[in-house]
Amino acid sequence: MTRPLARVGLPGVPSRPRAPKNGITCPYCFESVAPQRILFRCRGQAGRRQGCAPVLDEALAAYTGSTAGASLPPVFAASGRKGQAECPECGVATGNRACPECHNPLPSAYCDSPGRIVALVGAKNAGKSTYIAVLLHELMNRVGTELDASLVACDDRTIERYKRDFARPLLEERRLLPTTASAATGPREPLVYLLTRTRRGRRGRFARPRNDSLALVLFDTAGEDLRSREVTDLHLRYLEAADAVVFLVDPLELPGARTGVRDAVTAPRGAGDDPDSEPLNIIARVTDTLRQRHGTRPGEPLPVPVAVALTKIDVLRPGLLRQSALHRSRSGSGVLDLDDRDAVNEQVRALLHDWQAGQLDTYLGQQYADHALFGLSALGGVPDADRVGAGGVRPYRAEDPLLWLLYRFGMLEGVRPGGG
């Protein structure tokens, strides 16, 4: 007899995300903005429509570091709690909202939905850009279908950046992505998406389904930006605003893991030789930044959920994964299998200790109230020089960290198939 799934609630997390009431965090400058402070931007002149002429927006130019593209219709103050406001100069109604600090546009879907900022952190060779490209593609396709969910960009800038910097080179042209440019060279554009899930009722077939939405901001870091605490404080303010952090760790950066990789794979030049790029040191710097935001004392667990993922697990010798939880694929049932989650967590913990990197797990347990360990591969195979391998992009469990975070955010149910 098949045992029923045991659905597991999550203490302290609402079963349904709530709309923002106390304001939002700008996804560009990461300032906390109260609803009444949100600005509107005039729609301007178009065709026969009367409107304000473009003027140089000095706040926007200061953010981008250039006046190019900063001449726009003016912004004005109005109650940001409403979806529209009339320009006091030309009288034309507009729904274009803007951040009062940096004057970047605030998409309506972002303003009107509960939002979560997820920071992706890792050393230079951890594969952050590749991971983002593959994760978003999976959410738009296979995983989105599994979850009965849609992932839609909130603005044109996100659409353009995803196609230009991620999808076209990696998925279409099969070229490996370059390392992320340092924030010191100029502000980077975040990727702002609206994730909407259709959730079926539990009260029989006539129960009405409901749609839950979550604004998701993904922001990646350059490895160089995490080499010192000073650079982190100067350029990575988004860490202070992060609702969750995903640390990506290249196993080849762990000296004890290098004997367990395939014969055809060699560690990157200099791997493990730079103490500033060691995973534990990077995580410690980010932890310091988060403590400043939350005002917690050393040793007091931080409330930010943290996912730590070993990337490129496809390079591990096959014998290392045989009979392990990492050798199994997810069930793909549209829920988080907590039994599988526990098994993978323990397998990765065991690998870290086998590789003399157990201090990483110990530190996470001391500093964070909730952390989880993962193993994944964005490409699913060893690349050929600067190109994707002959088998193409074949991700393996790349979505696991985000599914766990959706569970933590109340957007995904957890089950124990064994009924425990």
Side-chain angles (χ1 to χ4, degrees):
M1 182 177 67
T2 302
R3 302 183 67 180
L5 297 177
R7 297 184 180 272
V8 181
L10 193 59
V13 175
S15 60
R16 186 177 183 181
R18 298 185 177 92
K21 294 181 179 179
N22 299 322
I24 64 170
T25 299
C26 174
Y28 298 98
C29 69
F30 302 103
E31 284 287 338
S32 180
V33 180
Q36 60 271 22
R37 293 185 58 227
I38 295 176
L39 301 180
F40 284 83
R41 188 177 295 280
C42 178
R43 295 174 63 191
Q45 302 170 350
R48 297 182 179 180
R49 185 184 70 212
Q50 297 297 318
C52 296
V55 295
L56 177 62
D57 189 322
E58 295 183 357
L60 184 60
Y63 171 83
T64 60
S66 170
T67 58
S71 290
L72 298 168
V75 294
F76 59 91
S79 176
R81 296 181 184 274
K82 299 180 180 179
Q84 284 195 336
E86 289 186 359
C87 176
E89 296 296 327
C90 65
V92 174
T94 177
N96 299 331
R97 285 174 271 192
C99 171
E101 299 294 333
C102 65
H103 289 194
N104 272 289
L106 295 176
S108 296
Y110 182 76
C111 291
D112 299 333
S113 302
R116 301 287 186 174
I117 295 175
V118 178
L120 285 101
V121 178
K124 186 174 182 178
N125 297 311
K128 297 178 295 296
S129 297
T130 300
Y131 178 69
I132 289 177
V134 171
L135 175 64
L136 291 174
H137 183 265
E138 291 290 276
L139 287 173
M140 294 175 189
N141 295 279
R142 178 182 62 85
V143 177
T145 300
E146 172 195 333
L147 299 180
D148 205 358
S150 62
L151 186 75
V152 179
C154 286
D155 56 19
D156 292 339
R157 294 156 75 172
T158 293
I159 295 173
E160 179 182 355
R161 187 184 177 214
Y162 174 70
K163 289 184 177 179
R164 180 191 68 234
D165 296 345
F166 298 98
R168 186 177 295 120
L170 181 69
L171 302 175
E172 296 177 17
E173 301 171 0
R174 294 191 174 186
R175 292 186 288 109
L176 296 185
L177 300 180
T179 55
T180 306
S182 170
T185 63
R188 285 193 306 278
E189 297 289 309
L191 297 165
V192 187
Y193 286 92
L194 184 68
L195 178 69
T196 304
R197 287 198 66 210
T198 299
R199 305 178 74 172
R200 309 296 174 181
R202 300 184 191 173
R203 300 179 180 177
R205 59 178 179 173
F206 298 109
R208 178 179 298 179
R210 72 168 189 257
N211 292 327
D212 286 347
S213 295
L214 184 72
L216 189 64
V217 180
L218 294 173
F219 208 86
D220 59 320
T221 68
E224 297 92 322
D225 292 336
L226 297 170
R227 292 177 62 87
S228 71
R229 286 171 171 79
E230 290 74 15
V231 172
T232 299
D233 293 341
L234 181 62
H235 296 293
L236 302 183
R237 294 178 56 208
Y238 81 97
L239 285 172
E240 297 181 358
D243 297 290
V245 180
V246 177
F247 289 108
L248 298 180
V249 176
D250 182 352
L252 299 179
E253 291 288 346
L254 305 175
R258 294 175 201 160
T259 58
V261 301
R262 297 176 186 271
D263 295 330
V265 179
T266 57
R269 181 177 297 177
D273 297 333
D274 183 1
D276 286 333
S277 67
E278 291 181 3
L280 181 58
N281 292 335
I282 290 176
I283 292 174
R285 294 187 194 107
V286 173
T287 302
D288 283 349
T289 302
L290 292 173
R291 288 205 177 282
Q292 294 176 24
R293 172 209 172 182
H294 290 277
T296 58
R297 298 185 301 272
E300 182 180 350
L302 282 160
V304 181
V306 168
V308 179
L310 297 180
T311 61
K312 309 174 186 177
I313 61 169
D314 53 280
V315 306
L316 300 177
R317 294 186 189 277
L320 189 62
L321 297 181
R322 192 172 296 124
Q323 303 300 323
S324 80
L326 289 174
H327 195 65
R328 300 193 302 263
S329 297
R330 282 193 317 105
S331 63
S333 56
V335 293
L336 182 66
D337 184 334
L338 297 177
D339 291 337
D340 173 76
R341 174 84 290 279
D342 291 345
V344 169
N345 192 77
E346 291 306 312
Q347 177 67 50
V348 175
R349 174 177 286 118
L351 286 175
L352 290 175
H353 284 271
D354 287 345
W355 294 336
Q356 292 80 52
Q359 188 180 9
L360 182 63
D361 176 55
T362 302
Y363 179 82
L364 290 165
Q366 293 169 341
Q367 304 298 322
Y368 294 93
D370 194 9
H371 79 279
L373 306 174
F374 301 83
L376 57 88
S377 173
L379 295 178
V382 179
D384 182 11
D386 61 346
R387 300 190 61 82
V388 175
V393 177
R394 298 169 296 167
Y396 179 74
R397 304 195 74 139
E399 69 276 10
D400 281 14
L402 186 61
L403 293 183
W404 177 72
L405 290 176
L406 291 178
Y407 169 65
R408 297 296 306 161
F409 297 157
M411 282 286 287
L412 189 66
E413 289 183 308
V415 301
R416 292 199 180 276

